Amino acid sequence: MQYKIAIVGEKDTVYAFGMLGMNVFYTTDAKQGRQVVKDIIKDDYGVIFITENLAQQIPDIIKKYDDEFMPAFILIPSDYNSESIGLQRVQENVQKAVGQNIL
């Protein structure tokens, strides 16, 4: 089975990813973003790139899949407010896998 790649977030942040062949979903609203992400998960997407801004608004959904193989949530910086949450998540996952923070 082939899994798809999606990117979700503010239009000006994620627009260009459509040219790379990703399925792009525009949203800034937490309620709409929550529904879009739930629909994407049901539609067999293996990787979901999501802007940090939107991820902060729906942390419960992302946390639910942290220990699952799929979908993988990858946080990308938002144009509006980049707080390096994505980098923090990578460091936490590396520490879980290796036993210490090597980054």
Side-chain angles (χ1 to χ4, degrees), residues 30-31 33-39 41 48 50 55 57-66 71 73:
K31 184 177 179 182
R34 181 177 300 280
Q35 189 59 51
V36 167
V37 170
K38 285 180 179 180
D39 292 344
I41 292 168
I48 301 172
I50 187 168
Q57 297 177 46
I58 58 169
D60 55 315
I61 293 176
I62 295 170
K63 182 143 181 77
K64 179 179 177 183
Y65 292 95
D66 272 351
F73 282 94

Side-chain angles (χ1 to χ4, degrees), residues 17-102:
F17 289 92
M19 291 183 270
L20 299 174
M22 295 181 191
N23 295 322
V24 179
F25 301 89
Y26 308 120
T27 182
T28 56
D29 176 68
K31 184 177 179 182
Q32 181 186 17
R34 181 177 300 280
Q35 189 59 51
V36 167
V37 170
K38 285 180 179 180
D39 292 344
I40 289 171
I41 292 168
K42 288 178 188 173
D43 202 19
D44 290 329
Y45 279 81
V47 178
I48 301 172
F49 289 90
I50 187 168
T51 59
E52 289 178 346
N53 188 37
L54 183 59
Q56 285 180 315
Q57 297 177 46
I58 58 169
D60 55 315
I61 293 176
I62 295 170
K63 182 143 181 77
K64 179 179 177 183
Y65 292 95
D66 272 351
D67 295 329
E68 300 293 324
F69 179 66
M70 281 194 289
F73 282 94
I74 311 297
L75 276 61
I76 59 172
S78 299
D79 284 345
Y80 302 114
N81 184 16
S82 180
E83 295 185 19
S84 300
I85 297 169
L87 181 58
Q88 290 170 357
R89 283 178 52 93
V90 169
Q91 288 175 340
E92 289 169 4
N93 288 332
V94 167
Q95 188 167 352
K96 267 196 277 188
V98 178
Q100 64 183 353
N101 189 352
I102 61 172

